[in-house]
Amino acid sequence: MSVKGPPASSQVPGPSPTSPVAPSRGRCQGKVEERPGSWFGFGFCGFGQALGSDRGHQVHSPQPLCSPDRGGDICSVSASWSYTAFLSCAGRVQLSGSAGGAADGCRDLWASETLFVVLRDGRGPGARAELQAWAPSSALRGEPLWVQTVEAETEREGRAGGETPAAPLPLLPCARAYVSPWLPLAQPLAPELRACRLELGTEHALLLDEAGQVYSWGGGRHGQLGHGTLEAELEPRLLEALQGLPMAEVAAGGWHSVCVSETGDIYIWGWNESGQLALPSRSLAEDRKTVSGEDGSEVKGTARTEDGAPTSFIALQPFPALLDLPLGAGAVKASCGSRHTAVVTSAEKLLTQQVESQPPRGCSSGQ
Amino acid sequence: MAEDSGQAGTGALREALRALLPRRKEDLRLDFGDRVERSAVTLLQRAASLFYGGARAECLRTSEAVLDYAWERLNSGPWRDVDKDWRRLYAFGCLLKAVCLCEDPGGAAGVAAALKVCDMGLLMGAAVLDDVLTKVAAVLQTHLLSGKRPARGPSQEPPSAKKARNGPAAVPEMRSEEAVPRLHRPSLQCFRERCLVPQRPVVLEGVAGHWPCMSKWSVEYLQEIAGCRTVPVEVGSRYTDEEWSQRLMTVNEFISKYILNEPRDVGYLAQHQLFDQVPELREDIGIPDYCCLGDGDEEQITINAWFGPAGTVSPLHQDPQQNFLVQVLGRKYIRLYSPQESEALYPHDTHLLHNTSQVDVESPDLEKFPRFAEAPFLSCVLAPGEILFIPVKYWHYVRALDLSFSVSFWWS
C-alpha cells in the first residue's frame, strides 16, 4: 500500500552560491577547474551537526559552513540524516552530529546512516590508497569494518595525489566496483560500463558513463529507474529515453532521479509524493488548501486551475521528464535529498524544490 | 452547548490521555533490535525525555523528525519486508506527537489532527504498549463527538440510490446452470465435505443474517461511528488502470466525495482492516464458525472492509487464502473461475500483478484473449445477509450493483 506521508526534513549542504562550479567539460575525467568557494548549509540539524552558526534544530536559510574544528577550508561534504562529514582541502575528515571523530590523509568520503566510507592515502611512500568502511558510531577509532586497497588511480589524467579522485565515491577509483551500505559492501560493475559517476538512492542506483549515457538498476516501484515501468532491474540498464543526449551530471534521491545534460537541461523522474520532481503534487496542493471547518475538522479543498477544472497531479513519473527552470536558466549541477531536489543554475542561483512543512522552509537563491 | 469547549474539556482530555501512558519514561520500553538505526532510537529517546519533562513544543518537533525518518524506512522495499521494529518506532512517534497535539489548547482542530496521527500510527505502525494507539484514538473520538451525536432515527434509504443516474443497476443475465450452489446453515461437517475439501464455492444462507451489522449499518451510522477516522481509499475504476491511485482521507470525506452528491469519480474503501482500527464496529460483526475448520487461530484471520458506491469493480484475481465474503449492505455481482482455468484467464506476467487476470470479465477482448470465452465459470448475486465461500486461489470478479458494504474473512 502506498501512503502519503509527512514532508521531508532531510538536510542538504548547498554548494556555494557565490562562486560557480564550472561544468566539467571533460565530463567525468575529473573536475577540471573548481575555484574554491564557501560551503553553505541548511536544513535539519537536530543531531547538532555543524551546519553553520545557527545551532537550532533547523536552519532555514543557507548559513556559512565551518568545519567543526575550524581546521582549514572545506573541500567536500557528505551528509547523512543524523551526521555530516567534512573533508578539508588538507585531507582531514571530520564527522559532526550523531557520529564524531576525525582522520587525516583522506581524499574522498561518503556518508550514510549505516556506513561511513573514506578513501585514504596509503601509509608510507609508494603505498596504495585504501578504501575504508566504518560504522559511524566508531568515531573512526579502532578498526574499520572493511578495507580494500585500490589501484593507483592517481596516474590517471596526470592528477597528483591529494586532489579529488577521478571517480568519486561511492564508485571505487578503479570504477569496476562501488561501495553500498548493503552486504556485500563492494558491488562489482562490468568494466565495459566505463563508469565515471554513481549515485545511490534508497532502492536504486544511477550510473553515468564516460559517453554521458545514464544507466539505472535496483528497485523500481516508484518509477525511479526511468524505464517506463514499475519493475525492478537486476542489472544496469540503459535509459533509452535519454540515449544520444549526453549528460553531465546525475543525482539520486530516496526514490527519484535527476540528471543534467551538457547543455544545461534537467531531466527528472521517480516519485513525486512530496513534490520532489517539481511536478504538480497532490500532497502539496492539499497542504496549501487545508482550511478549518466549523467544527474544527479539516476540510481539504481540491486544487483547481484557474478555469475551475481540477488539476491533474502526478504521483510518479516512470520515465524522464524535461523540467523547465524559471527564467530560462540553465542547470549546472543537481543534488538530491531523500525527498527533495536542489539545482544550481548557471545564473548562480540555488533552487530547491521542497515541501512546505511546519515551520516553513525558505527557498533560497544566491545573489 | 458542547461541554467539551474550554479549559474543562481540555483538562479532562489531558487526564484521560495521561492515564493511558506509563508514569515514567522508562516504562515506555523503547527497545529496538539492530535493524533500527541507533540515531533514530536516540532521537525517539530524546522526544520521550522532552515529553516527560514537559517540553511540549520541542517534543512535537522532535517526534516529527522521528516520524519523517521512520516513514522513509517504512516506504523502502516491499511492505512485507519492512522490519516490525521500524513500525513500532513509527507508532511511538505517532503516540508522542498525538498527545502533544492535544495538550496544546488548540481546541477541536488539535484533537482532530491528533486523531489523524493516531490513525497513521495504526495504519503503518505496529502495536505498542498493548495497542495504546487504539485506546488513544477512542478517547479522542469520544472527545470530538461529545455533544454532537445526532438523534438516532430509523436508518434511511441510502441517498445515492435516490440520485442514481440510471436507476438500480441491472442484474446481469445468469443461466441457472452457472449459479453458485447454495446451502442453508450447513453443519461444519457438511460444509467441510461438500465445499472445503473439494474446494467448491458456495453461498451460505441463514448464517450471518442476524449479525447486528445487518440491521444497524447505514451510511449515517458509519459517519457517526467512524466519520473522523482516516482510511485508505482507492480512486479509479479498477486497480489495473493507469489512473488508479490510493489516497488517505477521513470516512466523512470518503462518504461525502464518493458516496453522496453524485460523485464524479469512483472511490472505493477497499481491503482495509477497519475493524482493528474502530473496535466499536467489530462488535457488530461475528466470525463464521466454519473458519475453525482451518489450521490457523482466530487471531490470524484477516478481516477487511469493502465499502463503496454502486459500480466499484475488483478485476478478476486470486488470493492466497480461503475467503468468506459477507454481504451487509447492497448487492454484488460475482463471477468465479477455478484455478484449473488459470491459463485461459491470461494473468499479467509482471510480478506486481501476477495474481490478476488481464481480461475484463464483462467486456472481454476475445481477439486478444480467445481462450477466455470457453472457460467455465460460476456466478451469483450476493445479497445482504449472505456469505460467499471463495476457496483459496479461486479466481473472482466482483462488481457492486448498489451502494455496498462487504466484510471479508481471509483464513487458512
Side-chain angles (χ1 to χ4, degrees):
Chain A
M1 177 173 81
S2 160
V3 167
K4 91 179 174 191
S9 65
S10 57
Q11 63 192 54
V12 65
S16 163
T18 59
S19 54
V21 174
S24 48
R25 289 285 157 236
R27 216 171 300 105
C28 297
Q29 303 307 333
K31 295 188 174 58
V32 179
E33 315 269 320
E34 195 169 299
R35 296 202 298 274
S38 335
W39 281 88
F40 289 69
F42 54 97
F44 169 69
C45 54
F47 288 92
Q49 301 94 318
L51 273 196
S53 50
D54 185 333
R55 291 297 185 116
H57 287 291
Q58 290 179 331
V59 177
H60 293 187
S61 318
Q63 299 288 325
L65 276 182
C66 14
S67 65
D69 66 359
R70 313 245 186 272
D73 291 334
I74 298 171
C75 173
S76 152
V77 178
S78 181
S80 184
W81 176 63
S82 69
Y83 73 99
T84 308
F86 303 85
L87 174 64
S88 76
C89 300
R92 183 168 176 79
V93 147
Q94 284 175 287
L95 306 186
S96 166
S98 71
D104 290 306
C106 301
R107 299 193 210 164
D108 196 7
L109 76 182
W110 187 78
S112 75
E113 280 306 293
T114 49
L115 209 64
F116 175 65
V117 180
V118 63
L119 180 67
R120 298 181 79 167
D121 293 324
R123 281 166 275 217
R128 292 211 182 146
E130 223 175 50
L131 195 69
Q132 299 179 342
W134 295 81
S137 53
S138 68
L140 303 181
R141 278 199 275 275
E143 290 304 309
L145 293 175
W146 175 86
V147 177
Q148 181 163 313
T149 351
V150 295
E151 294 166 21
E153 276 303 305
T154 52
E155 288 73 35
R156 197 171 162 192
E157 298 296 316
R159 304 182 58 76
E163 301 185 29
T164 16
L169 287 174
L171 266 184
L172 269 62
C174 60
R176 276 200 269 285
Y178 64 97
V179 189
S180 82
W182 314 288
L183 293 169
L185 299 181
Q187 307 270 356
L189 281 174
E192 48 269 19
L193 281 173
R194 298 178 70 78
C196 60
R197 185 71 192 260
L198 187 135
E199 288 265 313
L200 295 179
T202 301
E203 296 171 14
H204 75 298
L206 271 189
L207 184 148
L208 181 66
D209 76 3
E210 291 173 358
Q213 299 297 281
V214 179
Y215 295 75
S216 69
W217 68 98
R221 295 174 315 125
H222 297 291
Q224 63 265 57
L225 298 183
H227 302 300
T229 73
L230 303 183
E231 298 289 299
E233 296 283 340
L234 295 177
E235 296 295 324
R237 180 176 162 185
L238 179 68
L239 263 287
E240 280 151 17
L242 301 177
Q243 201 166 9
L245 289 168
M247 296 295 148
E249 300 279 341
V250 289
W255 299 269
H256 69 295
S257 308
V258 187
C259 58
V260 180
S261 75
E262 283 190 336
T263 50
D265 290 323
I266 303 175
Y267 294 85
I268 197 162
W269 61 96
W271 208 8
N272 191 44
E273 53 74 43
S274 294
Q276 56 266 56
L277 304 189
L279 299 171
S281 155
R282 177 176 301 280
S283 63
L284 275 187
E286 285 181 351
D287 283 347
R288 287 195 196 110
K289 296 269 181 194
T290 298
V291 295
S292 289
E294 286 168 5
D295 56 357
S297 64
E298 288 189 351
V299 175
K300 296 229 168 16
T302 323
R304 294 187 180 270
T305 58
E306 279 130 20
D307 62 2
T311 50
S312 58
F313 298 109
I314 295 180
L316 55 88
Q317 176 69 24
F319 48 84
L322 175 62
L323 214 57
D324 284 325
L325 287 181
L327 307 174
V332 161
K333 188 160 174 53
S335 172
C336 300
S338 59
R339 285 181 279 164
H340 70 280
T341 309
V343 168
V344 180
T345 68
S346 53
E348 302 183 24
K349 286 191 181 305
L350 171 70
L351 304 171
T352 54
Q353 186 59 40
Q354 58 200 346
V355 178
E356 301 282 335
S357 74
Q358 7 128 327
R361 302 175 63 203
C363 180
S364 63
S365 64
Q367 57 268 34
Chain B
M1 177 198 67
E3 27 187 283
D4 54 298
S5 63
Q7 298 292 336
T10 316
L13 177 62
R14 194 181 306 167
E15 285 309 306
L17 291 175
R18 283 288 186 157
L20 292 174
L21 291 167
R23 291 259 156 266
R24 310 175 308 151
K25 181 202 156 188
E26 292 70 34
D27 295 329
L28 281 175
R29 314 242 312 271
L30 301 177
D31 307 314
F32 302 93
D34 291 336
R35 298 288 299 275
V36 175
E37 288 141 27
R38 289 300 106 192
S39 46
V41 179
T42 305
L43 205 60
L44 178 65
Q45 299 266 12
R46 188 188 312 167
S49 299
L50 289 167
F51 179 78
Y52 282 92
R56 285 293 156 269
E58 249 196 284
C59 172
L60 185 59
R61 268 205 304 274
T62 311
S63 304
E64 284 176 339
V66 171
L67 289 176
D68 273 356
Y69 191 69
W71 184 87
E72 294 193 357
R73 297 280 69 78
L74 298 187
N75 275 275
S76 303
W79 179 245
R80 64 174 175 278
D81 291 346
V82 172
D83 196 87
K84 191 171 173 190
D85 271 347
W86 273 116
R87 296 176 58 195
R88 286 179 54 241
L89 187 113
Y90 184 80
F92 273 114
C94 288
L95 176 66
L96 292 176
K97 178 175 177 180
V99 181
C100 286
L101 282 174
C102 289
E103 302 236 344
D104 283 333
V111 178
L115 186 54
K116 264 202 212 315
V117 172
C118 282
D119 278 334
M120 287 305 298
L122 287 168
L123 280 169
M124 294 187 62
V128 295
L129 294 177
D130 194 26
D131 209 15
V132 68
L133 280 174
T134 302
K135 298 171 190 164
V136 171
V139 166
L140 296 179
Q141 190 166 342
T142 308
H143 184 89
L144 274 178
L145 290 175
S146 57
K148 287 192 315 171
R149 273 192 187 232
R152 291 257 210 112
S155 83
Q156 290 148 27
E157 196 185 331
S160 66
K162 289 187 204 143
K163 294 188 199 286
R165 273 168 263 164
N166 305 316
V171 174
E173 187 188 296
M174 301 188 305
R175 298 193 295 276
S176 62
E177 62 266 29
E178 297 168 351
V180 177
R182 293 173 166 255
L183 288 176
H184 184 85
R185 293 182 61 81
S187 67
L188 289 177
Q189 184 163 344
C190 172
F191 174 80
R192 181 203 273 137
E193 285 171 7
R194 292 174 64 171
C195 312
L196 182 57
V197 168
Q199 288 281 282
R200 284 204 221 113
V202 66
V203 173
L204 302 170
E205 296 170 343
V207 175
H210 294 298
W211 289 4
C213 58
M214 301 300 171
S215 53
K216 278 172 82 176
W217 287 7
S218 65
V219 172
E220 292 74 18
Y221 177 78
L222 294 166
Q223 285 174 308
E224 195 185 308
I225 298 296
C228 41
R229 305 301 300 270
T230 299
V231 292
V233 171
E234 301 181 357
V235 179
S237 307
R238 51 197 78 196
Y239 68 78
T240 41
D241 279 353
E242 274 186 14
E243 296 306 309
W244 183 88
S245 66
Q246 286 178 305
R247 238 167 272 172
L248 292 174
M249 62 188 74
T250 63
V251 170
N252 281 337
E253 284 166 346
F254 169 68
I255 289 174
S256 153
K257 196 163 176 189
Y258 296 104
I259 304 274
L260 306 174
N261 309 318
E262 294 193 22
R264 183 202 300 259
D265 299 312
V266 174
Y268 195 9
L269 205 182
Q271 197 176 324
H272 176 53
Q273 292 176 250
L274 185 65
F275 308 98
D276 289 343
Q277 186 185 9
V278 188
E280 206 176 328
L281 285 176
R282 179 69 182 81
E283 308 287 299
D284 293 338
I285 61 172
I287 294 190
D289 290 336
Y290 310 97
C291 292
C292 75
L293 296 171
D295 301 321
D297 295 328
E298 191 171 300
E299 292 86 51
Q300 292 168 319
I301 301 176
T302 305
I303 309 177
N304 276 311
W306 306 78
F307 175 40
T312 60
V313 168
S314 292
L316 188 64
H317 70 284
Q318 55 180 189
D319 296 315
Q321 288 187 282
Q322 320 274 11
N323 185 359
F324 283 124
L325 183 65
V326 179
Q327 195 59 18
V328 181
L329 292 177
R331 300 163 302 152
K332 277 190 162 149
Y333 170 66
I334 303 172
R335 216 194 267 195
L336 299 162
Y337 290 81
S338 161
Q340 292 166 342
E341 307 301 327
S342 296
E343 281 185 26
L345 306 180
Y346 302 90
H348 288 265
D349 56 13
T350 64
H351 176 72
L352 218 54
L353 292 175
H354 70 278
N355 67 337
T356 305
S357 162
Q358 298 180 65
V359 187
D360 181 353
V361 165
E362 289 188 279
S363 56
D365 181 343
L366 293 174
E367 280 184 27
K368 213 168 158 193
F369 309 116
R371 295 181 55 185
F372 181 76
E374 303 312 313
F377 60 89
L378 299 169
S379 65
C380 67
V381 170
L382 199 66
E386 298 178 346
I387 307 181
L388 173 65
F389 168 59
I390 304 177
V392 63
K393 295 261 168 118
Y394 224 90
W395 295 87
H396 47 289
Y397 165 89
V398 183
R399 175 165 63 87
L401 300 174
D402 312 307
L403 168 95
S404 164
F405 201 125
S406 319
V407 181
S408 66
F409 297 81
W410 288 344
W411 58 286
S412 295

